[in-house]
Amino acid sequence: MLIILQLLDLVKKAQDRDEASLQAIIKNFEGFMYKTASSIYINGYEVEDLLQIEATALINAIFKYNCEYTNAFTTYATTAIKNALNNELRSYLNKRNGEKFEFSLNNTMDEDTEFMDMLLSDDNVEEDILLKEDIRTLRKALKSLPDNFREIICWHYFKEKSLKEYAEFKNIKYSTAKKRHARALKKLKEIIITISK
């Protein structure tokens, strides 16, 4: 990230319609935007679609930002980017009129084990999820996961890609991907149990 004063100078120039400064700011936030876009799943959206939404939010933030503010532009911009994605997700869910994600807790893993089977316990988490807050609970639990755990869960169950593909994509060993996947499921189960109480 650019130092605060240098970034603020670019913001001022961009507000004066300097295209080079605008592009420099966008480039500065590319890494953050890609990471944020990759951490969210909206059915039917590609990462590129989410990046476009983020870029639009960033540009709006640049022109709305008051350079006299004491808070850093970085905080203002990252908040605007996150809010844009959250609003898009909220809009998508509203359009579906409360329908569930096109993701089933009965999706199978490589070993023909259902996702829900990995979450079952003596506390009957399955019944709690289905009878209480179902998708809202799952969505809240996924949001609470660390980024790398949420990424592998979304990759394997929402995008329905294999752990082998994930390992290749992340340039890690397959065994590492399997361990991360197992830890992610364990953590997700713990969060769901906590939320469902």
Side-chain angles (χ1 to χ4, degrees), residues 30-163:
E30 278 180 350
F32 173 79
M33 290 193 293
Y34 184 80
K35 181 179 178 182
T36 306
S38 300
S39 70
I40 192 170
Y41 173 78
I42 303 177
N43 187 48
Y45 286 65
E46 299 292 335
V47 172
E48 289 75 18
D49 299 323
L50 300 178
L51 287 171
Q52 186 63 44
I53 292 168
E54 291 178 312
T56 301
L58 176 58
I59 292 170
N60 287 335
I62 291 169
F63 288 105
K64 289 181 180 178
Y65 184 71
N66 185 340
C67 294
E68 301 302 317
Y69 284 173
T70 54
N71 60 316
F73 174 75
T74 300
T75 303
Y76 183 81
T78 53
T79 299
I81 290 167
K82 289 177 181 178
N83 286 344
L85 286 188
N86 288 336
N87 289 338
E88 191 68 23
L89 178 58
R90 192 175 298 112
S91 174
Y92 169 79
L93 292 174
N94 287 339
K95 286 177 184 176
R96 299 212 34 187
N97 297 320
E99 292 178 24
K100 297 181 180 179
F101 283 115
E102 289 186 10
F103 161 72
S104 171
L105 295 178
N106 299 114
N107 280 2
T108 57
M109 299 168 54
D110 297 334
E111 300 79 14
D112 293 328
T113 302
E114 292 184 353
F115 180 74
M116 181 52 76
D117 291 338
M118 301 298 293
L119 302 177
L120 292 178
S121 72
D122 294 335
D123 298 323
N124 200 347
V125 178
E126 180 180 17
E127 181 179 339
D128 284 347
I129 293 172
L130 295 176
L131 296 179
K132 291 183 181 178
E133 296 190 70
D134 49 75
I135 192 61
R136 191 177 301 177
T137 300
L138 180 59
R139 183 173 160 230
K140 187 174 181 182
L142 284 169
K143 194 172 181 180
S144 300
L145 282 175
D147 289 347
N148 61 334
F149 284 177
R150 182 170 53 253
E151 178 185 60
I152 196 168
I153 292 293
C154 290
W155 176 279
H156 195 54
Y157 296 101
F158 289 87
K159 296 182 179 179
E160 298 182 352
K161 293 185 179 181
S162 70
L163 293 180

